[in-house]
Amino acid sequence: MMFYAIIGEDRPGTLDQRMAARPAHVERLKALQDEGRLLLAGPCPAIDSPDPGPAGFSGSLIVAEFASLQAAQAWAGADPYVAAGVYEKVTVKPFKKVLPA
């Protein structure tokens, strides 16, 4: 097992779709957390504020353990945000955690 960074980039103007798909998206992340595989996950506000309001989000970052790059890509491709058309691009790459140790 190794960590993979999953970077989802939101399509502009999809805040409503994001909010509608969020419960299913978070449920999948909680499943990873329950399995002890989630390092971190969260959205990137589109403006310099923890609560961007109608400005919404520019994307999300997830770092989690998977058996392989292919497994991480498959998991990312099945994200509810992909199905809802929120993400216009998803990048998955290996990630090596160094700190905190």
Side-chain angles (χ1 to χ4, degrees):
M1 294 283 268
M2 119 171 238
F3 284 112
Y4 294 88
I6 300 169
I7 302 111
E9 297 178 39
D10 284 20
R11 187 179 322 278
T14 57
L15 182 58
D16 288 345
Q17 293 97 309
R18 175 184 262 274
M19 298 315 291
R22 185 175 184 275
H25 170 80
V26 171
E27 190 170 314
R28 294 177 82 231
L29 293 169
K30 286 183 178 176
L32 286 179
Q33 181 177 343
D34 291 347
E35 295 168 12
R37 295 170 46 203
L38 183 65
L39 183 62
L40 64 88
C44 301
I47 59 174
D48 191 12
S49 171
D51 181 4
F57 301 90
S58 63
S60 301
L61 171 63
I62 299 162
V63 180
E65 279 187 315
F66 292 92
S68 67
L69 177 60
Q70 293 76 18
Q73 289 169 329
W75 187 91
D79 194 292
Y81 285 171
V82 172
V86 175
Y87 289 159
E88 68 179 348
K89 179 181 178 189
V90 178
T91 303
V92 181
K93 50 180 143 182
F95 179 83
K96 181 178 177 183
K97 180 180 180 282
V98 175
L99 293 173

